[in-house]
């Protein structure tokens, strides 16, 4: 075999080896600390800046940009065109933080929250989605996850959660609103109960508070307190086991 052909063969073999290494070296499923090679990235990742991060792109190194000079922040606007944007500054401490002017938690739900049948139903629906897994549909603290907790979860029927004379803070509407939005913090700052402020909007959190009040009220009342039609509906849809979800049709 001529010398030049031998060299050509070796080169081809090396090229084949190199391409096998390139393609086979970082296959999906292999463990590697380097980024995977993406030949057709499609929309696997979307490059973006996370809040409060650095970037060398801007001279000041901040990924978050300051508002344009001369920008004026605004709060509640009477202009109907600003509907949905009235609360940019979240200035309303009562509505957004459950606190009064004195900094104490409110004893009542702020007047701006409409409390009617629809609000209670929304509160029930949100409660069942976000709270019942731990606290149970009945608020006794024995939800599917709650039962597995390393310690007993609180029972919402405990008077400390509704009677101002028993607990001057935890009984307040504003406190329960605060717990929904910010969770329950341990002294070291870690969360004993997760915060749901990221997914439960303030108006929904107030509706959950209203619904918890209705559970508590129901536990203190009797069937006779209800109008006849409601009494019948309740008796038909009564869950067989305490803590179970209401029978289908029980919720409107
Ligand atoms: C992942 C489980 C979990 C979910 C979901 C959950 N909680 Fe809790 N919640 C806890 C735990 C745990 C505690 C007890 C924290 C402690 O040790 O004081 C607690 C405590 C509470 C307390 C009493 C706080 C106090 O200071 O005594 C209230 C009120 C409460 N939760 C309301 C809610 C509401 C309303 C929701 C739904 C938005 C909710 N929780 C969702 C786990 C949960």
């Amino acid at each position: 075999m001529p010398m030049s052909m031998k060299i050509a063969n070796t080169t081809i073999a090396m090229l084949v080896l190199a391409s096998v290494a390139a393609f086979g070296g970082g296959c999906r499923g292999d463990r590697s600390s380097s980024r995977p090679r993406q030949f057709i990235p499609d929309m696997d990742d979307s490059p973006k800046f996370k809040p409060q991060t650095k970037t060398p792109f801007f001279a000041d190194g901040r990924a978050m940009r300051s508002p344009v000079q001369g920008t004026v922040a605004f709060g509640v606007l009477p202009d109907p065109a600003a509907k949905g944007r009235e609360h940019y500054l979240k200035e309303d401490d009562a509505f957004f933080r459950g606190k009064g002017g004195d900094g104490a938690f409110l004893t009542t739900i702020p007047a701006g929250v409409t409390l009617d049948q629809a609000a209670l139903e929304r509160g029930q629906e949100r409660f069942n989605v976000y709270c019942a897994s731990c606290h149970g549909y009945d608020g006794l603290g024995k939800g599917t996850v709650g039962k597995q907790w390393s310690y007993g979860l609180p029972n919402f029927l405990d008077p400390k959660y509704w009677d101002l004379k028993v607990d001057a803070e935890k009984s307040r509407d504003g406190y329960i609103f605060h717990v929904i939005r910010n969770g329950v913090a341990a002294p070291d700052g870690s969360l004993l109960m997760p915060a749901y402020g990221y997914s439960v909007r303030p108006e929904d959190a107030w509706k959950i508070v209203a619904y918890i009040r209705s559970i508590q009220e129901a536990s203190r009342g009797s069937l006779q307190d209800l109008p006849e039609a409601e009494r019948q509906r309740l008796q038909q849809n009564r869950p067989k086991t305490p803590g179970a979800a209401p029978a289908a049709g029980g919720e409107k």
Side-chain angles (χ1 to χ4, degrees), residues 140-215:
L140 301 183
K142 301 210 164 31
T144 325
V145 177
K147 274 193 288 202
Q148 311 286 330
W149 217 261
S150 57
Y151 53 92
L153 255 54
N155 174 355
F156 292 160
L157 304 187
D158 185 328
K160 77 172 170 188
Y161 293 118
W162 51 266
D163 191 341
L164 211 60
K165 293 193 290 291
V166 177
D167 193 312
E169 181 167 88
K170 296 192 181 208
S171 61
R172 293 176 182 234
D173 289 347
Y175 180 73
I176 294 178
F177 171 87
H178 170 84
V179 166
I180 298 173
R181 302 267 303 158
N182 304 290
V184 179
D188 68 358
S190 63
L191 286 181
L192 299 167
M193 175 186 138
Y196 288 94
Y198 71 94
S199 54
V200 178
R201 286 179 293 159
E203 51 270 49
D204 283 340
W206 286 117
K207 289 171 189 173
I208 292 178
V209 175
Y211 177 64
I212 292 177
R213 293 303 184 220
S214 79
I215 299 181

Side-chain angles (χ1 to χ4, degrees), residues 8-38:
N9 276 348
T10 325
T11 318
I12 289 169
M14 276 167 72
L15 275 176
V16 168
L17 267 178
S19 54
V20 166
F23 281 92
C27 284
R28 276 173 196 248
D30 285 357
R31 279 170 194 269
S32 157
S33 57
S34 50
R35 292 166 67 94
R37 266 176 279 274
Q38 287 176 300

Side-chain angles (χ1 to χ4, degrees), residues 71-99:
T71 307
V72 180
F74 64 85
V76 179
L77 283 185
D79 180 0
K83 195 161 167 22
R85 300 184 286 140
E86 301 93 339
H87 290 301
Y88 267 1
L89 294 184
K90 299 191 167 58
E91 283 170 317
D92 187 345
D93 259 348
F95 183 73
F96 288 100
R97 282 165 281 280
K99 290 185 174 175

